[in-house]
Amino acid sequence: MPAVRPEGIRIALDGPAASGKGTVARAVARALGYRYLDTGAMYRAVALQAERRGVAWSDAPGLAALAEQLPLDFRWDGATLAVLLDGQDVTEQVRSQRVGQGASAVAVHPPVRAALVRRQQALAARGGVVVDGRDIGTVVLPDAELKVYLDASPGERARRRHAELVARDPRGAPPLAQVLAEVNARDAQDSGRATGPLSVAADAVVVDTTALDIPQAIQAVLALARARGA
Ligand code: DC
């Protein structure tokens, strides 16, 4: 018999970089009164902490030790998620392109993944949660009540990420062609790794957002969630 989740269903939301997962996950969690767990922020926090402690992104044992002890906290107020590292708000810092590349690099190491996966499973155990990442439906919560794979074409994802970078820093944003090259490189790294690669779980519902705007993508996932008892 499936375990009863006192706080609601567990929604696994996977997909490639810049597919809109974070925005959709936050909005769905907010609409349902659920918690939001951003697992990408955990890999990003490991990369940032490594940089601060002088541990190379290639040093698997050093990174695993950091990941085991990571003084990481999330503050979810029902609408926004703050990431705290060592008690310091690093929400903005972990979103940078550089830390994103570091996250993708540290995420290839199996002992780093093992440490973070354990933590993610503990955080999701009570249910009532939207968990976004790459391997949530396949590895972290293989028995999640709902698995969604959010996709969009690489060109559309690059366009969205570029618009976001321009909004943040109109003069410092890299050209679209460079953002597209980074999206493709990140896809290759995230899909090509041996442990917990980005892949579609057999029982996931694929939602292609290439031609959807954000409210439509949110409604699509909310409808699936309600159909599964959320
Ligand atoms: O979703 P994001 O862009 O914040 O993720 C940053 C990196 O972390 C991404 O390139 C791959 C990695 N990641 C992962 O390997 N597994 C997850 N569950 C989430 C993120």
Side-chain angles (χ1 to χ4, degrees):
M1 210 175 77
V4 174
R5 307 283 160 188
E7 297 182 7
I9 70 167
R10 294 160 304 159
I11 301 174
L13 197 56
D14 290 302
S19 57
K21 289 189 313 285
T23 306
V24 170
R26 249 191 313 276
V28 167
R30 182 179 187 173
L32 297 174
Y34 277 18
R35 287 173 298 131
Y36 166 46
L37 178 58
D38 176 0
T39 64
M42 299 173 82
Y43 290 93
R44 287 168 183 269
V46 171
L48 180 62
Q49 187 78 335
E51 207 171 56
R52 289 180 168 181
R53 299 280 169 88
V55 174
W57 290 340
S58 55
D59 174 1
L63 292 168
L66 279 186
E68 293 281 355
Q69 308 282 331
L70 199 67
L72 178 70
D73 268 314
F74 289 112
R75 294 265 183 285
W76 169 245
D77 67 4
T80 57
L81 185 76
V83 184
L84 306 178
L85 187 58
D86 267 329
Q88 185 201 353
D89 190 325
V90 295
T91 313
E92 281 300 312
Q93 251 174 298
V94 296
R95 297 303 320 161
S96 76
Q97 284 286 95
R98 190 177 44 74
V99 174
Q101 272 151 16
S104 190
V106 305
V108 304
H109 305 299
V112 172
R113 302 199 68 82
L116 295 188
V117 166
R118 269 198 301 279
R119 217 152 148 162
Q120 292 155 11
Q121 289 169 332
L123 287 167
R126 287 176 294 144
V129 67
V130 181
V131 187
D132 96 18
R134 302 289 187 291
D135 59 341
I136 310 307
T138 50
V139 175
V140 179
L141 303 174
D143 58 346
E145 288 74 25
L146 172 63
K147 300 178 185 179
V148 176
Y149 187 91
L150 213 59
D151 210 352
S153 69
E156 174 60 17
R157 289 186 283 119
R159 198 193 58 72
R160 290 176 190 169
R161 177 58 53 92
H162 183 250
E164 202 180 292
L165 293 171
V166 169
R168 209 181 298 159
D169 180 4
R171 272 181 296 192
L176 179 60
Q178 184 182 329
V179 177
L180 177 59
E182 282 167 8
V183 162
N184 284 328
R186 187 90 76 82
D187 282 0
Q189 178 143 303
D190 291 345
S191 309
R193 66 169 174 251
T195 310
L198 173 66
S199 64
V200 187
D203 50 352
V205 181
V206 177
V207 176
D208 189 323
T209 70
T210 306
L212 300 184
D213 61 19
I214 287 168
Q216 289 171 323
I218 294 165
Q219 286 314 314
V221 176
L222 266 178
L224 291 168
R226 293 205 165 105
R228 300 287 167 94

